[in-house]
Amino acid sequence: MSAGVLAGKVALVTGAGSGIGRATCRILARDGAKVIAADRNLKAAQETVQELGSDRSVALEVDVSSAQSVQSSVAEALKKFQQAPTIVVNSAGITRDGYLLKMPEKDYDDVYGVNLKGTFLVTQAFAKAMIEQKLQNGSIVNLSSIVAKMNNVGQANYAATKAGVISFTEVASKEFGKFGIRVNCILPGYIDTPMVAVVPDSVKQEVVKRCPLGRLGQPEEIAEVIAFLASPQSSYVNGAAIEVTGGLK
Ligand code: NAD
């Protein structure tokens, strides 16, 4: 990506305190955007901001699964940079793996609340703000997962939400196109972040064996694709679901 391609843009990244979200903040700031690092874990978001510098980033506490929290985050975000973000990255996500017959309702609800409802709440709130401010060239990037296609045993809740993110993205792309807002999603493979750190080594070894590139991905390798989707260089990419998996299917 060419330096400064996102100059003058404000980006909001959820899940910004860790993994792919933090790497995305780093890459978007490198490309010139001002970044709102949003996370339920405020301390982690503040660490991201510390790394980027407070002149071009601010931390924001938000629970994406709560409409009330997302609403106040819009107000906060507008206060911080006097302009609604035109780049929104929905990276907040959780797993609560378990076999279906033993899956507690709470684990299903929690995963749904963050991964799918959270994507809905943040997308709706910030798209409204962009449209109200008549901002053009918006880009929303959602994080699905290759698990939406692999449908791993023990991940019914996670797989269902990530498949949902693909459909949600496509509908949003159709509804928002006329406002100059593009909506795309990425299906990462297995990326070396705290989320994957808890996956048993035997599973990771199997993944690496099946992956044509023979390794896990790095969060920056997802963030670079997000930055492309956020930039004018992808101006005709809309409603896409892009696999970034090293070839893992
Ligand atoms: P991570 O666990 O490293 O980071 C997730 C971040 O989301 C954390 O900082 C956490 O505090 C935040 N978060 C959780 N619940 C939240 C809530 N309710 N409100 C706001 N923030 C909340 O995860 P990651 O690996 O960086 O994953 C980022 C996204 O990419 C997720 O949506 C995940 O499902 C997806 N993904 C990850 C992988 C992978 O291999 N790591 C693969 C495919 C998809």
Side-chain angles (χ1 to χ4, degrees):
M1 195 70 56
S2 46
V5 73
L6 299 179
K9 299 260 187 195
V10 177
L12 175 124
V13 180
T14 72
S18 180
I20 293 169
R22 178 173 281 174
T24 300
C25 292
R26 205 177 282 143
I27 302 288
L28 295 179
R30 178 203 69 188
D31 289 347
K34 293 224 192 296
V35 175
I36 300 168
D39 204 291
R40 183 165 59 186
N41 182 342
L42 180 62
K43 191 166 168 283
Q46 284 166 338
E47 281 164 17
T48 302
V49 165
Q50 216 163 23
E51 184 194 318
L52 303 183
S54 55
D55 49 329
R56 48 185 187 164
S57 61
V58 289
L60 190 65
E61 184 174 4
V62 68
D63 175 357
V64 299
S65 66
S66 151
Q68 203 185 352
S69 175
V70 170
Q71 271 317 316
S72 42
S73 80
V74 176
E76 275 297 300
L78 293 180
K79 240 195 279 166
K80 306 265 185 206
F81 291 118
Q82 284 78 50
Q83 179 196 317
T86 53
I87 298 168
V88 174
V89 180
N90 281 304
S91 191
I94 60 169
T95 52
R96 295 286 183 272
D97 294 351
Y99 296 118
L100 259 179
L101 292 179
K102 291 187 177 164
M103 186 175 288
E105 183 183 3
K106 184 173 175 1
D107 283 1
Y108 189 89
D109 285 347
D110 286 353
V111 170
Y112 171 79
V114 179
N115 296 4
L116 193 51
K117 183 179 164 197
T119 298
F120 155 67
L121 290 173
V122 172
T123 298
Q124 184 191 53
F126 284 93
K128 270 189 190 167
M130 277 183 231
I131 292 164
E132 273 164 24
Q133 295 199 350
K134 297 193 168 38
L135 298 170
Q136 286 286 311
N137 303 319
S139 173
I140 298 172
V141 184
N142 298 326
L143 271 297
S144 173
S145 168
I146 197 61
V147 171
K149 294 194 172 172
M150 292 170 72
N151 294 316
N152 299 335
V153 165
Q155 291 201 292
N157 49 1
Y158 185 77
T161 60
K162 293 301 181 179
V165 167
I166 298 174
S167 297
F168 176 84
T169 298
E170 197 173 318
V171 175
S173 74
K174 290 176 180 171
E175 294 194 16
F176 297 165
K178 61 174 178 283
F179 301 111
I181 301 171
R182 297 181 293 110
V183 192
N184 294 289
C185 71
I186 295 180
L187 284 65
Y190 283 72
I191 311 303
D192 193 9
T193 72
M195 181 179 273
V196 161
V198 298
V199 172
D201 282 345
S202 57
V203 175
K204 280 190 272 200
Q205 280 159 13
E206 187 55 33
V207 164
V208 166
K209 226 195 287 173
R210 286 179 45 201
C211 175
L213 291 187
R215 62 176 176 83
L216 300 182
Q218 291 303 310
E220 285 73 15
E221 294 177 292
I222 303 301
E224 291 286 3
V225 183
I226 294 173
F228 168 69
L229 290 173
S231 81
Q233 285 158 337
S234 61
S235 52
Y236 206 54
V237 185
N238 190 29
I242 300 175
E243 292 181 17
V244 187
T245 66
L248 179 75
K249 296 280 179 198

